[in-house]
Amino acid sequence: MISALRKRLAVGRSPIPGILRDDGIPEPVGNTLNHNLIQALLKSAALMPNDLHLLGDDD
């Protein structure tokens, strides 16, 4: 699901760079891609800070 989201956002109306493995991101790729995606979603207000609790434990 996240992979499909990354692909759509990377080529959409306002493409987001640095969210696909093919963007030339150095290792460790996974953490950098996640960071870039979350930052882009927060900046665009597509994801609000209160939504982040859905990504982790409910503790």
Side-chain angles (χ1 to χ4, degrees):
M1 191 156 117
I2 297 298
S3 179
L5 174 65
R6 288 179 196 281
K7 289 176 185 176
R8 285 196 321 263
L9 293 174
V11 297
R13 268 192 313 229
S14 299
I16 300 171
I19 61 171
L20 296 176
R21 185 174 293 270
D22 298 340
D23 289 343
I25 305 296
E27 295 292 335
V29 174
N31 288 338
T32 303
L33 294 177
N34 290 339
H35 173 79
N36 292 348
L37 178 61
I38 290 170
Q39 288 296 316
L41 292 173
L42 288 170
K43 284 181 184 176
S44 70
L47 179 69
M48 300 303 292
N50 291 339
D51 296 328
L52 294 177
H53 78 275
L54 297 172
L55 299 175
D57 294 332
D58 290 333
D59 298 340

